[in-house]
Amino acid sequence: MDEAATRKQLIDKELARAGWNVNDINQVIADPEYEINLPDGKHQYVDYCLVLKGKIAAIIEAKKTSRGAEVGREQARQYAQNIKSYMQPEEPPPFIFYTNGHEIWFWDEEGGYPPRKIYGYPTKDDLEYFGFRRKEKLPLSTVEVNKDISGRGYQIEAIKNITECFTRKRREALLVMATGTGKTRTAVGLVDVMMRARWAKRILFLVDRIALRDQALGAF
């Protein structure tokens, strides 16, 4: 499938599924492609731009299905940087997506996070929240653990260790705690820190037994 067919048959449909109207230039600039005017008189053309409130909030670099999506990574990065430098200098750089129609990668380069594979495009509300969080989130180190929730020394230390991992751009952390040490309260304390620092809006809490669900619900 060539790039044009990939865009029409795969990418356009995925964007529509996320609520984007690819035929509305106030939402998606795709045909004709968005033109970046460079100082040397050259031009670059972005496959897709996702628009919020009249500004380019994200770009999508598309490749045909027979090529790896990651082939477009550096090209997409350059486009995002040039939009920031030459087209929207007063705005933060757009979020980056690159895809071959089957794989989608998301990259918040300004936030310092490496690209990660995702399974669908964000909605307009999602993308707006990404921008809000990028601008408004606080350093996790500045938000104290609420000792009325998690007041034991090792609980506080555990929460701080996890927030330090996230501050270093790691996406995963694991705590192993014995029965009776306050696992649920530690989790509640961590959620409280993450939300007060505006690092998260919704957090999924999983349990494997109904009794644990009821216990956790009471604690939260």
Side-chain angles (χ1 to χ4, degrees), residues 75-154:
Q75 190 175 356
R77 185 187 71 84
Q78 291 179 9
Y79 291 166
Q81 289 183 343
N82 288 338
I83 289 174
K84 161 65 178 174
S85 296
Y86 307 122
M87 309 299 287
Q88 297 182 167
E90 75 287 354
E91 298 293 325
F95 294 103
I96 297 169
F97 298 86
Y98 47 93
T99 181
N100 63 358
H102 296 306
E103 290 187 351
I104 305 170
W105 290 80
F106 169 65
W107 191 8
D108 177 11
E109 187 187 20
E110 185 185 67
Y113 287 94
R116 61 187 175 96
K117 190 176 180 180
I118 59 174
Y119 297 92
Y121 295 102
T123 65
K124 289 184 280 291
D125 286 345
D126 291 336
L127 197 56
E128 189 166 10
Y129 176 68
F130 292 170
F132 167 83
R133 185 175 60 189
R134 176 196 264 176
K135 182 169 58 176
E136 298 294 333
K137 72 179 185 179
L138 304 172
L140 287 168
S141 60
T142 66
V143 179
E144 293 292 329
V145 177
N146 185 337
K147 294 181 181 178
D148 291 333
I149 301 174
S150 307
R152 301 175 187 175
Y154 60 82

Side-chain angles (χ1 to χ4, degrees), residues 29 32-38 41-47 49 83 87:
I29 302 174
E33 297 169 333
Y34 183 79
E35 181 177 355
I36 305 173
N37 301 310
L38 301 176
K42 295 181 179 179
H43 307 276
Q44 293 176 330
Y45 298 91
V46 185
D47 292 328
C49 288
I83 289 174
M87 309 299 287

Side-chain angles (χ1 to χ4, degrees), residues 19-83:
W20 297 92
N21 183 351
V22 296
N23 297 312
D24 182 355
I25 199 171
N26 295 310
Q27 295 186 36
V28 182
I29 302 174
D31 188 16
E33 297 169 333
Y34 183 79
E35 181 177 355
I36 305 173
N37 301 310
L38 301 176
D40 59 5
K42 295 181 179 179
H43 307 276
Q44 293 176 330
Y45 298 91
V46 185
D47 292 328
Y48 292 86
C49 288
L50 304 183
V51 182
L52 288 177
K53 299 178 180 177
K55 303 294 183 181
I56 307 303
I59 65 162
I60 303 172
E61 174 59 23
K63 298 298 179 186
K64 59 185 179 181
T65 54
S66 62
R67 302 190 72 187
E70 290 182 299
V71 172
R73 170 177 169 169
E74 178 59 25
Q75 190 175 356
R77 185 187 71 84
Q78 291 179 9
Y79 291 166
Q81 289 183 343
N82 288 338
I83 289 174

